[in-house]
Amino acid sequence: MYIKNQKYKSDFALAFVGFDCDAGRCFVAVGNAEQINVYSSVFHGCKQEIIENSTNFAIFKTICMLNEKDK
């Protein structure tokens, strides 16, 4: 179910829906008015590297969804 945010008038959302720094597993949700996609990936390295790589992963998936919307 899609509920438009009236306060911020947003139609797009990005969220970390799960994160286990010890195992390096990250779940990212990217959504808009038509769909919500949840992605999972595992990153290796120290805690800071995992955080940085998972953030880059989330940004990449967001850009991919925005590019799909423009097609």
Side-chain angles (χ1 to χ4, degrees):
M1 180 172 79
Y2 172 73
I3 300 172
K4 185 169 181 165
N5 184 324
Q6 295 300 319
K7 183 175 180 181
Y8 298 107
K9 309 230 184 304
S10 59
D11 289 327
F12 194 83
L14 164 67
F16 281 96
V17 294
F19 187 74
D20 181 355
C21 202
D22 294 330
R25 176 157 307 278
C26 170
F27 294 91
V28 173
V30 181
N32 61 25
E34 289 99 33
Q35 64 184 6
I36 297 172
N37 297 317
V38 179
Y39 305 97
S40 172
S41 192
V42 176
F43 300 98
H44 303 282
C46 70
K47 182 177 180 178
Q48 187 60 37
E49 290 171 323
I50 292 170
I51 291 170
E52 184 176 331
N53 290 332
S54 61
T55 300
N56 289 338
F57 175 69
I59 292 168
F60 173 74
K61 288 301 186 181
T62 301
I63 291 169
C64 289
M65 181 174 249
L66 289 170
N67 285 336
E68 286 177 14
K69 186 176 179 181
D70 290 338
K71 290 181 181 181

